[in-house]
């Protein structure tokens, strides 16, 4: 993170939040959305069917929901889904990349799957369960923020990086963000 955190307004009215699973993207999106009075869009909710244990929508339906959402005049959108990233970047006005250690992200995944009935970014119905495939995904994507930071740099858009919980908390403090109710 830079020594000086830019004003939130520098990121504009269409903000992308990138980072690995369980790094804090959903909660940050909800907090920024509340602060700026704009919708927080959680791409996992477009990719997966509500009231399921993360059953995926057909690719065409997911892409249609994504493409419709990015046409809105303002949003804060969290999630990666690199196949759809070029269209999202074309509409974005700023990027935030968050990261966290693999150990902390794994702990968050286990905690949310076992104990959190409601959370920002969850699917309707809250039918989370621990899945070996997700544990594998956490491992596979353990260094994915490197590519996200590079993508942000190359985009030419204003961007901010938070590499761990302390830096993410610094963003919350600098931007006077609060956690909205779920």
């Amino acid at each position: 993170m830079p020594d000086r955190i830019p004003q939130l307004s520098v990121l504009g009215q269409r903000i992308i939040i990138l980072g690995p699973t369980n790094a804090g993207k959903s909660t940050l999106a909800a907090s920024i959305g509340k602060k700026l009075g704009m919708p927080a869009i959680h791409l996992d909710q477009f990719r997966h069917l509500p009231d399921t244990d993360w059953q995926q929508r057909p690719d065409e339906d997911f892409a249609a929901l994504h493409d419709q959402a990015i046409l809105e005049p303002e949003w804060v959108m969290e999630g990666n889904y690199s196949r759809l990233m070029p269209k999202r970047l074309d509409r974005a006005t700023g990027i935030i990349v968050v990261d966290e250690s693999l150990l902390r992200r794994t702990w968050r995944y286990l905690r949310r799957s076992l104990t959190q009935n409601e959370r920002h970014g969850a699917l309707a119905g809250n039918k989370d369960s621990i899945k070996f495939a997700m544990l594998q995904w956490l491992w596979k994507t353990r260094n994915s923020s490197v590519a996200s930071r590079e993508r942000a740099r190359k985009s030419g858009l204003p961007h901010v990086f938070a590499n761990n919980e302390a830096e993410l908390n610094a963003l919350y403090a600098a931007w006077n963000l609060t956690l909205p109710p779920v």
Side-chain angles (χ1 to χ4, degrees):
M1 177 173 300
D3 293 334
R4 186 178 162 285
I5 298 172
Q7 294 293 317
L8 183 56
S9 60
V10 167
L11 298 175
Q13 294 183 321
R14 291 182 301 280
I15 302 168
I16 295 175
I17 302 176
L18 303 175
T21 300
N22 294 289
K25 299 182 304 292
S26 297
T27 304
L28 180 60
S31 299
I32 291 172
K34 176 186 175 190
K35 171 84 175 182
L36 299 180
M38 63 176 60
I41 298 170
H42 308 282
L43 290 178
D44 280 345
Q45 292 175 342
F46 288 174
R47 182 59 178 142
H48 301 89
L49 295 167
D51 299 308
T52 69
D53 192 4
W54 298 91
Q55 178 184 345
Q56 290 189 358
R57 289 182 199 276
D59 290 343
E60 305 78 33
D61 295 349
F62 171 44
L65 289 168
H66 172 274
D67 293 352
Q68 181 180 355
I70 63 172
L71 294 177
E72 294 298 319
E74 58 184 25
W75 38 259
V76 54
M77 188 176 294
E78 63 86 11
N80 298 300
Y81 299 102
S82 57
R83 184 174 63 85
L84 301 175
M85 185 71 67
K87 288 181 180 179
R88 199 170 334 134
L89 282 171
D90 285 346
R91 291 279 299 147
T93 56
I95 301 173
I96 302 169
V97 179
V98 298
D99 199 3
E100 187 52 78
S101 73
L102 175 62
L103 180 62
R104 187 175 295 270
R105 291 186 306 106
T106 302
W107 169 247
R108 285 179 181 169
Y109 169 66
L110 295 172
R111 186 184 70 211
R112 86 174 195 198
S113 297
L114 293 172
T115 65
Q116 284 186 310
N117 292 331
E118 294 186 20
R119 65 177 179 79
H120 297 287
L123 300 181
N126 293 308
K127 297 185 181 198
D128 282 350
S129 67
I130 296 173
K131 297 165 202 60
F132 183 69
M134 180 56 95
L135 293 170
Q136 288 177 308
W137 183 252
L138 282 161
W139 176 257
K140 180 179 178 180
T141 61
R142 66 192 179 278
N143 297 317
S144 63
S145 288
V146 172
S148 294
R149 286 190 295 270
E150 186 61 23
R151 179 177 279 131
R153 284 185 194 100
K154 287 182 177 179
S155 73
L157 297 171
H159 54 270
V160 177
F161 303 146
N163 298 305
N164 54 49
E165 186 173 18
E167 292 182 5
L168 185 58
N169 288 339
L171 292 181
Y172 276 86
W175 295 337
N176 198 29
L177 300 176
T178 58
L179 300 177
V182 179

